[in-house]
Amino acid sequence: MQRRAVFVLAAALSLAACRSRSNQRTYAVHGQVVSVTPDRQEATVKHGDIAGLMPAMTMPYKIKEKAQLDAVKPGDVIDATLTIVENDAYLTGVKKVGEAPLEEAAPEPATVTTGKGLPLLQPGEVVPDSPFVDQDGRKRAFNSFRGSMVVLTFIYTRCPLPTFCPMMDRHFVSIQERLHDDPALKHVHLVTVSFDPAYDTPSVLKKHARELNADLSRWTFLTGDPEAIGKFGARFGVFVTRASNDPRDITHNLRTAIIGPDGKLIKVYTGNEWTPEEILNDLKPVANAD
Ligand SMILES: [Cu+2]
C-alpha cells in the first residue's frame, strides 16, 4: 500500500512459518517498524523473507490489538505473528525486541520505480492512451474501451496478502455479479492491469481470470510493456517499486478508477478502503445519464 521506505533494517532478520488451523496460516515475523498509521490501525514493517509466503518487503500491516499498535514507534525492532485467514491478514503478539536507527542502516538493494514525476490525472481529464496486451495475447490499446464506462484497477497475481491485490480481485468479482444483474450497468466494463508484466503474461492472466470466474466479455485483464504500464499507472497515482535483486519483491500501493465512456477520468479510489457498493453507487447516475 505504501511505497518502499528508504530505511532498512539494521538488525538481523529471521522468520519462520508454521501452520495452525486448517484455514488459518500463521507466520513468525521479525522486522523493523518504519512508520505507524494509527487511524488505519496499521504499522509499516520492513521484514525479511517469509518462507512460503513472500520475499523480504516493506508493507503496512494491520495490528489487531490497538494497545500493541500504540506501543510501537518507528525504529522499533519487533517480533510478531502474521495471521492470514481467507480474506484478512493482521499481526498479533507484537513485541518490541530492540531498537535500531532507521537512518544508519545497511544500503538498500537498488530499486526501480517507473513513472515518478508524471502529473496525476484529475477528474475530467482524458486518460492517455496506452498499449496493452490482453489475457488472450491480443493487442489492446486503452482507448479501445471508449464507449464503455470503465472500472480500472491495478494488481499483480502473486500478491501474497489477502487484503491487498486479492481484495481488489474479490471486489471486482462482486461488481461483476452486479453488472450481470443490473441492466442499468450494461455498458460498464472492468479492466485489471498487472504491474508485474514480467510474470503476469497473457496466459498467467488467463488462468487468473478463470480462477476468479471472470466473464471476459465484461472484464479484461491487461499486461504489456513494463515501462508503458509504469507510466500509465503513475497517472492514477500507482507506484510500484521493484528490488533489483529479487523480482518478486514488489512494493506497491493500490488505485482504482472510474473512467467515463468518453475516456475522461471520473474518480479515483485510494487503497483498499473502498467497497463494491461505493463504486456501484458512483457508477449508476453516470451510467443512467448516458
Ligand atoms: Cu498486492
Side-chain angles (χ1 to χ4, degrees), residues 90-119:
Y90 46 81
L91 296 178
T92 56
V94 179
K95 266 204 321 264
K96 178 174 170 176
V97 294
E99 238 177 275
L102 285 167
E103 51 285 298
E104 289 173 33
E108 168 106 355
T111 58
V112 185
T113 301
T114 313
K116 257 187 183 159
L118 290 174

PDB file of all heavy atoms in Angstrom, residues 90-119:
ATOM      1  N   TYR A  90      -3.347  -9.926   9.533  1.00  0.00           N
ATOM      2  CA  TYR A  90      -3.044  -8.978  10.595  1.00  0.00           C
ATOM      3  C   TYR A  90      -1.927  -9.532  11.472  1.00  0.00           C
ATOM      4  O   TYR A  90      -1.632 -10.731  11.461  1.00  0.00           O
ATOM      5  CB  TYR A  90      -4.291  -8.693  11.449  1.00  0.00           C
ATOM      6  CG  TYR A  90      -5.050  -9.925  11.846  1.00  0.00           C
ATOM      7  CD1 TYR A  90      -4.633 -10.702  12.934  1.00  0.00           C
ATOM      8  CD2 TYR A  90      -6.159 -10.350  11.118  1.00  0.00           C
ATOM      9  CE1 TYR A  90      -5.308 -11.852  13.286  1.00  0.00           C
ATOM     10  CE2 TYR A  90      -6.846 -11.501  11.467  1.00  0.00           C
ATOM     11  CZ  TYR A  90      -6.419 -12.247  12.549  1.00  0.00           C
ATOM     12  OH  TYR A  90      -7.076 -13.390  12.886  1.00  0.00           O
ATOM     13  N   LEU A  91      -1.333  -8.623  12.237  1.00  0.00           N
ATOM     14  CA  LEU A  91      -0.292  -9.026  13.180  1.00  0.00           C
ATOM     15  C   LEU A  91      -0.883  -9.120  14.579  1.00  0.00           C
ATOM     16  O   LEU A  91      -1.683  -8.283  14.986  1.00  0.00           O
ATOM     17  CB  LEU A  91       0.849  -8.000  13.204  1.00  0.00           C
ATOM     18  CG  LEU A  91       1.656  -7.814  11.908  1.00  0.00           C
ATOM     19  CD1 LEU A  91       2.701  -6.723  12.113  1.00  0.00           C
ATOM     20  CD2 LEU A  91       2.322  -9.115  11.483  1.00  0.00           C
ATOM     21  N   THR A  92      -0.461 -10.152  15.287  1.00  0.00           N
ATOM     22  CA  THR A  92      -0.793 -10.253  16.711  1.00  0.00           C
ATOM     23  C   THR A  92       0.520 -10.480  17.461  1.00  0.00           C
ATOM     24  O   THR A  92       1.559 -10.742  16.855  1.00  0.00           O
ATOM     25  CB  THR A  92      -1.737 -11.441  17.000  1.00  0.00           C
ATOM     26  OG1 THR A  92      -1.120 -12.625  16.500  1.00  0.00           O
ATOM     27  CG2 THR A  92      -3.092 -11.261  16.348  1.00  0.00           C
ATOM     28  N   GLY A  93       0.444 -10.408  18.771  1.00  0.00           N
ATOM     29  CA  GLY A  93       1.613 -10.687  19.605  1.00  0.00           C
ATOM     30  C   GLY A  93       2.806  -9.818  19.257  1.00  0.00           C
ATOM     31  O   GLY A  93       3.944 -10.287  19.245  1.00  0.00           O
ATOM     32  N   VAL A  94       2.528  -8.550  18.982  1.00  0.00           N
ATOM     33  CA  VAL A  94       3.614  -7.644  18.588  1.00  0.00           C
ATOM     34  C   VAL A  94       4.439  -7.280  19.825  1.00  0.00           C
ATOM     35  O   VAL A  94       3.919  -6.743  20.797  1.00  0.00           O
ATOM     36  CB  VAL A  94       3.047  -6.361  17.942  1.00  0.00           C
ATOM     37  CG1 VAL A  94       4.178  -5.418  17.556  1.00  0.00           C
ATOM     38  CG2 VAL A  94       2.198  -6.709  16.729  1.00  0.00           C
ATOM     39  N   LYS A  95       5.705  -7.638  19.767  1.00  0.00           N
ATOM     40  CA  LYS A  95       6.590  -7.394  20.916  1.00  0.00           C
ATOM     41  C   LYS A  95       7.835  -6.663  20.447  1.00  0.00           C
ATOM     42  O   LYS A  95       8.500  -7.082  19.505  1.00  0.00           O
ATOM     43  CB  LYS A  95       7.029  -8.725  21.530  1.00  0.00           C
ATOM     44  CG  LYS A  95       6.159  -9.192  22.670  1.00  0.00           C
ATOM     45  CD  LYS A  95       6.914 -10.145  23.623  1.00  0.00           C
ATOM     46  CE  LYS A  95       7.839 -11.120  22.946  1.00  0.00           C
ATOM     47  NZ  LYS A  95       7.274 -12.444  22.690  1.00  0.00           N
ATOM     48  N   LYS A  96       8.132  -5.582  21.140  1.00  0.00           N
ATOM     49  CA  LYS A  96       9.357  -4.860  20.811  1.00  0.00           C
ATOM     50  C   LYS A  96      10.546  -5.638  21.364  1.00  0.00           C
ATOM     51  O   LYS A  96      10.573  -6.001  22.537  1.00  0.00           O
ATOM     52  CB  LYS A  96       9.298  -3.464  21.432  1.00  0.00           C
ATOM     53  CG  LYS A  96      10.546  -2.660  21.193  1.00  0.00           C
ATOM     54  CD  LYS A  96      10.374  -1.240  21.709  1.00  0.00           C
ATOM     55  CE  LYS A  96      11.724  -0.527  21.680  1.00  0.00           C
ATOM     56  NZ  LYS A  96      11.613   0.877  22.071  1.00  0.00           N
ATOM     57  N   VAL A  97      11.518  -5.925  20.525  1.00  0.00           N
ATOM     58  CA  VAL A  97      12.684  -6.676  20.997  1.00  0.00           C
ATOM     59  C   VAL A  97      13.960  -5.856  20.862  1.00  0.00           C
ATOM     60  O   VAL A  97      15.040  -6.318  21.208  1.00  0.00           O
ATOM     61  CB  VAL A  97      12.840  -8.017  20.239  1.00  0.00           C
ATOM     62  CG1 VAL A  97      11.680  -8.948  20.561  1.00  0.00           C
ATOM     63  CG2 VAL A  97      12.940  -7.800  18.731  1.00  0.00           C
ATOM     64  N   GLY A  98      13.837  -4.669  20.328  1.00  0.00           N
ATOM     65  CA  GLY A  98      15.032  -3.845  20.195  1.00  0.00           C
ATOM     66  C   GLY A  98      14.708  -2.550  19.487  1.00  0.00           C
ATOM     67  O   GLY A  98      13.537  -2.250  19.236  1.00  0.00           O
ATOM     68  N   GLU A  99      15.746  -1.830  19.202  1.00  0.00           N
ATOM     69  CA  GLU A  99      15.575  -0.561  18.517  1.00  0.00           C
ATOM     70  C   GLU A  99      16.774  -0.392  17.608  1.00  0.00           C
ATOM     71  O   GLU A  99      17.888  -0.789  17.970  1.00  0.00           O
ATOM     72  CB  GLU A  99      15.573   0.572  19.550  1.00  0.00           C
ATOM     73  CG  GLU A  99      14.315   1.412  19.525  1.00  0.00           C
ATOM     74  CD  GLU A  99      14.333   2.480  20.606  1.00  0.00           C
ATOM     75  OE1 GLU A  99      13.943   2.147  21.744  1.00  0.00           O
ATOM     76  OE2 GLU A  99      14.744   3.610  20.310  1.00  0.00           O
ATOM     77  N   ALA A 100      16.556   0.140  16.456  1.00  0.00           N
ATOM     78  CA  ALA A 100      17.681   0.374  15.556  1.00  0.00           C
ATOM     79  C   ALA A 100      17.431   1.689  14.850  1.00  0.00           C
ATOM     80  O   ALA A 100      16.294   2.008  14.514  1.00  0.00           O
ATOM     81  CB  ALA A 100      17.794  -0.757  14.545  1.00  0.00           C
ATOM     82  N   PRO A 101      18.481   2.460  14.673  1.00  0.00           N
ATOM     83  CA  PRO A 101      18.285   3.739  13.984  1.00  0.00           C
ATOM     84  C   PRO A 101      17.840   3.478  12.551  1.00  0.00           C
ATOM     85  O   PRO A 101      18.408   2.642  11.856  1.00  0.00           O
ATOM     86  CB  PRO A 101      19.663   4.392  14.021  1.00  0.00           C
ATOM     87  CG  PRO A 101      20.630   3.303  14.325  1.00  0.00           C
ATOM     88  CD  PRO A 101      19.884   2.214  15.026  1.00  0.00           C
ATOM     89  N   LEU A 102      16.805   4.168  12.128  1.00  0.00           N
ATOM     90  CA  LEU A 102      16.291   3.970  10.780  1.00  0.00           C
ATOM     91  C   LEU A 102      17.267   4.497   9.735  1.00  0.00           C
ATOM     92  O   LEU A 102      17.348   3.973   8.643  1.00  0.00           O
ATOM     93  CB  LEU A 102      14.952   4.687  10.629  1.00  0.00           C
ATOM     94  CG  LEU A 102      13.759   4.012  11.299  1.00  0.00           C
ATOM     95  CD1 LEU A 102      12.583   4.949  11.365  1.00  0.00           C
ATOM     96  CD2 LEU A 102      13.380   2.737  10.554  1.00  0.00           C
ATOM     97  N   GLU A 103      18.016   5.522  10.101  1.00  0.00           N
ATOM     98  CA  GLU A 103      18.832   6.153   9.058  1.00  0.00           C
ATOM     99  C   GLU A 103      20.243   5.584   8.923  1.00  0.00           C
ATOM    100  O   GLU A 103      20.857   5.728   7.889  1.00  0.00           O
ATOM    101  CB  GLU A 103      18.854   7.685   9.198  1.00  0.00           C
ATOM    102  CG  GLU A 103      19.206   8.249  10.562  1.00  0.00           C
ATOM    103  CD  GLU A 103      18.063   8.098  11.551  1.00  0.00           C
ATOM    104  OE1 GLU A 103      16.999   8.681  11.297  1.00  0.00           O
ATOM    105  OE2 GLU A 103      18.215   7.392  12.565  1.00  0.00           O
ATOM    106  N   GLU A 104      20.730   4.931   9.945  1.00  0.00           N
ATOM    107  CA  GLU A 104      22.088   4.377   9.831  1.00  0.00           C
ATOM    108  C   GLU A 104      22.023   2.898   9.473  1.00  0.00           C
ATOM    109  O   GLU A 104      22.463   2.041  10.219  1.00  0.00           O
ATOM    110  CB  GLU A 104      22.835   4.503  11.164  1.00  0.00           C
ATOM    111  CG  GLU A 104      23.221   5.918  11.507  1.00  0.00           C
ATOM    112  CD  GLU A 104      23.798   6.008  12.904  1.00  0.00           C
ATOM    113  OE1 GLU A 104      24.464   5.027  13.322  1.00  0.00           O
ATOM    114  OE2 GLU A 104      23.574   7.025  13.564  1.00  0.00           O
ATOM    115  N   ALA A 105      21.430   2.629   8.340  1.00  0.00           N
ATOM    116  CA  ALA A 105      21.192   1.236   8.004  1.00  0.00           C
ATOM    117  C   ALA A 105      22.086   0.790   6.866  1.00  0.00           C
ATOM    118  O   ALA A 105      22.728   1.595   6.204  1.00  0.00           O
ATOM    119  CB  ALA A 105      19.744   1.065   7.614  1.00  0.00           C
ATOM    120  N   ALA A 106      22.115  -0.498   6.674  1.00  0.00           N
ATOM    121  CA  ALA A 106      22.859  -1.060   5.556  1.00  0.00           C
ATOM    122  C   ALA A 106      22.227  -0.560   4.265  1.00  0.00           C
ATOM    123  O   ALA A 106      21.059  -0.214   4.233  1.00  0.00           O
ATOM    124  CB  ALA A 106      22.793  -2.582   5.609  1.00  0.00           C
ATOM    125  N   PRO A 107      22.997  -0.519   3.177  1.00  0.00           N
ATOM    126  CA  PRO A 107      22.422   0.006   1.938  1.00  0.00           C
ATOM    127  C   PRO A 107      21.277  -0.858   1.429  1.00  0.00           C
ATOM    128  O   PRO A 107      21.347  -2.078   1.429  1.00  0.00           O
ATOM    129  CB  PRO A 107      23.599   0.007   0.957  1.00  0.00           C
ATOM    130  CG  PRO A 107      24.633  -0.878   1.567  1.00  0.00           C
ATOM    131  CD  PRO A 107      24.397  -0.925   3.031  1.00  0.00           C
ATOM    132  N   GLU A 108      20.256  -0.189   1.041  1.00  0.00           N
ATOM    133  CA  GLU A 108      19.074  -0.823   0.471  1.00  0.00           C
ATOM    134  C   GLU A 108      19.438  -1.401  -0.890  1.00  0.00           C
ATOM    135  O   GLU A 108      20.156  -0.774  -1.656  1.00  0.00           O
ATOM    136  CB  GLU A 108      18.050   0.288   0.287  1.00  0.00           C
ATOM    137  CG  GLU A 108      16.855  -0.052  -0.539  1.00  0.00           C
ATOM    138  CD  GLU A 108      15.664  -0.216   0.364  1.00  0.00           C
ATOM    139  OE1 GLU A 108      15.849  -0.155   1.575  1.00  0.00           O
ATOM    140  OE2 GLU A 108      14.586  -0.411  -0.164  1.00  0.00           O
ATOM    141  N   PRO A 109      18.928  -2.594  -1.224  1.00  0.00           N
ATOM    142  CA  PRO A 109      19.151  -3.059  -2.592  1.00  0.00           C
ATOM    143  C   PRO A 109      18.553  -2.052  -3.574  1.00  0.00           C
ATOM    144  O   PRO A 109      17.537  -1.433  -3.267  1.00  0.00           O
ATOM    145  CB  PRO A 109      18.395  -4.391  -2.650  1.00  0.00           C
ATOM    146  CG  PRO A 109      17.694  -4.565  -1.368  1.00  0.00           C
ATOM    147  CD  PRO A 109      18.114  -3.495  -0.421  1.00  0.00           C
ATOM    148  N   ALA A 110      19.204  -1.886  -4.685  1.00  0.00           N
ATOM    149  CA  ALA A 110      18.735  -0.890  -5.659  1.00  0.00           C
ATOM    150  C   ALA A 110      17.296  -1.194  -6.062  1.00  0.00           C
ATOM    151  O   ALA A 110      16.918  -2.350  -6.205  1.00  0.00           O
ATOM    152  CB  ALA A 110      19.631  -0.916  -6.881  1.00  0.00           C
ATOM    153  N   THR A 111      16.520  -0.167  -6.210  1.00  0.00           N
ATOM    154  CA  THR A 111      15.131  -0.366  -6.607  1.00  0.00           C
ATOM    155  C   THR A 111      14.825   0.486  -7.825  1.00  0.00           C
ATOM    156  O   THR A 111      15.521   1.453  -8.117  1.00  0.00           O
ATOM    157  CB  THR A 111      14.160   0.018  -5.485  1.00  0.00           C
ATOM    158  OG1 THR A 111      14.387   1.382  -5.148  1.00  0.00           O
ATOM    159  CG2 THR A 111      14.354  -0.852  -4.256  1.00  0.00           C
ATOM    160  N   VAL A 112      13.790   0.101  -8.515  1.00  0.00           N
ATOM    161  CA  VAL A 112      13.384   0.824  -9.714  1.00  0.00           C
ATOM    162  C   VAL A 112      11.937   1.240  -9.572  1.00  0.00           C
ATOM    163  O   VAL A 112      11.071   0.414  -9.320  1.00  0.00           O
ATOM    164  CB  VAL A 112      13.503  -0.091 -10.967  1.00  0.00           C
ATOM    165  CG1 VAL A 112      13.190   0.703 -12.224  1.00  0.00           C
ATOM    166  CG2 VAL A 112      14.882  -0.712 -11.043  1.00  0.00           C
ATOM    167  N   THR A 113      11.671   2.502  -9.688  1.00  0.00           N
ATOM    168  CA  THR A 113      10.294   2.977  -9.698  1.00  0.00           C
ATOM    169  C   THR A 113      10.074   3.707 -11.017  1.00  0.00           C
ATOM    170  O   THR A 113      10.839   4.584 -11.377  1.00  0.00           O
ATOM    171  CB  THR A 113      10.034   3.942  -8.529  1.00  0.00           C
ATOM    172  OG1 THR A 113      10.312   3.259  -7.317  1.00  0.00           O
ATOM    173  CG2 THR A 113       8.582   4.399  -8.504  1.00  0.00           C
ATOM    174  N   THR A 114       9.029   3.297 -11.728  1.00  0.00           N
ATOM    175  CA  THR A 114       8.757   3.914 -13.032  1.00  0.00           C
ATOM    176  C   THR A 114       7.700   4.993 -12.879  1.00  0.00           C
ATOM    177  O   THR A 114       6.806   4.863 -12.058  1.00  0.00           O
ATOM    178  CB  THR A 114       8.228   2.847 -14.016  1.00  0.00           C
ATOM    179  OG1 THR A 114       9.077   1.717 -13.909  1.00  0.00           O
ATOM    180  CG2 THR A 114       8.245   3.341 -15.443  1.00  0.00           C
ATOM    181  N   GLY A 115       7.811   6.021 -13.679  1.00  0.00           N
ATOM    182  CA  GLY A 115       6.714   6.982 -13.791  1.00  0.00           C
ATOM    183  C   GLY A 115       6.719   8.077 -12.756  1.00  0.00           C
ATOM    184  O   GLY A 115       5.798   8.874 -12.684  1.00  0.00           O
ATOM    185  N   LYS A 116       7.773   8.135 -11.944  1.00  0.00           N
ATOM    186  CA  LYS A 116       7.867   9.197 -10.935  1.00  0.00           C
ATOM    187  C   LYS A 116       7.854  10.550 -11.613  1.00  0.00           C
ATOM    188  O   LYS A 116       8.499  10.749 -12.632  1.00  0.00           O
ATOM    189  CB  LYS A 116       9.174   9.046 -10.157  1.00  0.00           C
ATOM    190  CG  LYS A 116       8.973   8.444  -8.785  1.00  0.00           C
ATOM    191  CD  LYS A 116      10.281   8.476  -8.007  1.00  0.00           C
ATOM    192  CE  LYS A 116      10.089   7.797  -6.662  1.00  0.00           C
ATOM    193  NZ  LYS A 116      11.344   7.360  -6.089  1.00  0.00           N
ATOM    194  N   GLY A 117       7.130  11.483 -11.031  1.00  0.00           N
ATOM    195  CA  GLY A 117       7.172  12.843 -11.557  1.00  0.00           C
ATOM    196  C   GLY A 117       6.132  13.122 -12.635  1.00  0.00           C
ATOM    197  O   GLY A 117       5.987  14.255 -13.068  1.00  0.00           O
ATOM    198  N   LEU A 118       5.400  12.101 -13.070  1.00  0.00           N
ATOM    199  CA  LEU A 118       4.336  12.354 -14.043  1.00  0.00           C
ATOM    200  C   LEU A 118       3.144  12.954 -13.309  1.00  0.00           C
ATOM    201  O   LEU A 118       2.860  12.575 -12.176  1.00  0.00           O
ATOM    202  CB  LEU A 118       3.916  11.052 -14.736  1.00  0.00           C
ATOM    203  CG  LEU A 118       4.937  10.453 -15.698  1.00  0.00           C
ATOM    204  CD1 LEU A 118       4.463   9.094 -16.193  1.00  0.00           C
ATOM    205  CD2 LEU A 118       5.165  11.386 -16.878  1.00  0.00           C
ATOM    206  N   PRO A 119       2.433  13.887 -13.949  1.00  0.00           N
ATOM    207  CA  PRO A 119       1.316  14.531 -13.248  1.00  0.00           C
ATOM    208  C   PRO A 119       0.152  13.566 -13.029  1.00  0.00           C
ATOM    209  O   PRO A 119      -0.150  12.733 -13.888  1.00  0.00           O
ATOM    210  CB  PRO A 119       0.912  15.663 -14.195  1.00  0.00           C
ATOM    211  CG  PRO A 119       1.396  15.227 -15.531  1.00  0.00           C
ATOM    212  CD  PRO A 119       2.626  14.394 -15.308  1.00  0.00           C
TER     213      PRO A 119
END
